[in-house]
């Protein structure tokens, strides 16, 4: 197995979207930067906000694309090409409709499941879908026709607290994931209840 070298947090850019459910992946990367005592800085060549951090002795790139969600692949491709990072050395954090707020899951590879950010990343990586994912639950509105408005809406107070608790637990399990101990990372994260 190869070690994770970059964590990508998906979302939409700008203040109108900053607190919407679709930005749950970006919230993780922002929390990681805060925990590391650094800030994400605009980096034009990566089409996003970037920082380098150390986590348990491992150097990691954090990237929050500042393209819209359905164009996330350009930012990911720019970062991976510049630093020679292979797709299986990426961890992409994103919102997940199929998990309730407060739940999060690691996953390796697979399709995009209708997620436009993942779809564009897979395309930009030459249809290589071997990257790791961190699926952060936001719940489902119950009707497929309401999904767009739902993901672009703001979670209620209790819902946001549950998502934030899951993000804290994600951060607690990341050292295991980064050390390539996916079994322990998954065991801990997947059994978490906020």
């Amino acid at each position: 197995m190869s070690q994770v070298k970059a964590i990508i947090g998906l979302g939409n850019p700008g203040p109108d979207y900053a607190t919407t459910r679709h930005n749950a992946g970006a919230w993780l990367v922002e929390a990681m930067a805060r925990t590391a005592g650094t800030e994400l800085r605009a980096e034009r060549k990566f089409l996003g906000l970037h920082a380098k951090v150390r986590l348990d002795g491992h150097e990691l790139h954090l990237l929050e694309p500042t393209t819209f969600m359905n164009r996330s692949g350009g930012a990911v491709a720019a970062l991976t090409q510049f630093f020679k990072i292979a797709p299986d050395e990426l961890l992409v954090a994103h919102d997940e409709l199929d998990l309730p707020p407060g739940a999060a899951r690691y996953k390796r590879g697979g399709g995009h499941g209708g997620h436009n950010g993942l779809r564009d990343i897979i395309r930009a990586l030459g249809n290589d879908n071997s990257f790791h994912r961190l699926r952060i639950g936001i719940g489902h509105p119950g009707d497929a026709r309401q999904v767009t408005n739902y993901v672009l809406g703001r979670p209620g107070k209790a819902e946001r607290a549950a998502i934030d608790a899951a993000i804290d637990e994600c951060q607690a399990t990341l050292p295991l994931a980064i050390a390539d101990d996916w079994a322990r990372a998954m065991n801990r994260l997947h059994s978490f209840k906020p």
Side-chain angles (χ1 to χ4, degrees), residues 27-40 52-56 62 164 167-172 174-175:
W27 297 344
L28 171 81
V29 164
E30 291 163 4
M32 289 183 70
R34 275 194 305 275
T35 300
T38 190
E39 60 183 64
L40 294 157
K52 258 172 40 180
V53 298
R54 290 192 78 72
L55 183 65
D56 274 19
L62 301 180
D164 287 343
I167 286 172
D168 288 346
E169 187 67 8
C170 290
Q171 283 201 84
L174 276 169

Side-chain angles (χ1 to χ4, degrees), residues 171-184:
Q171 283 201 84
T173 64
L174 276 169
L176 292 168
I178 301 305
D180 208 19
D181 193 347
W182 291 100
R184 282 176 64 207

Side-chain angles (χ1 to χ4, degrees), residues 97-115:
L97 287 161
D98 294 333
L99 293 173
R105 300 281 183 274
Y106 287 111
K107 179 183 176 186
R108 170 133 193 242
H112 54 70
H115 194 288

Side-chain angles (χ1 to χ4, degrees), residues 132-191:
H132 301 272
R133 296 103 191 274
L134 180 46
R135 303 161 60 220
I136 300 169
I138 60 166
H140 196 287
D143 182 338
R145 292 169 302 195
Q146 295 172 1
V147 163
T148 301
N149 286 338
Y150 181 78
V151 299
L152 295 177
R154 289 169 175 75
K157 206 170 178 178
E159 197 183 329
R160 178 67 198 249
I163 294 168
D164 287 343
I167 286 172
D168 288 346
E169 187 67 8
C170 290
Q171 283 201 84
T173 64
L174 276 169
L176 292 168
I178 301 305
D180 208 19
D181 193 347
W182 291 100
R184 282 176 64 207
M186 286 178 176
N187 191 34
R188 176 171 170 175
L189 184 60
H190 298 191
S191 59

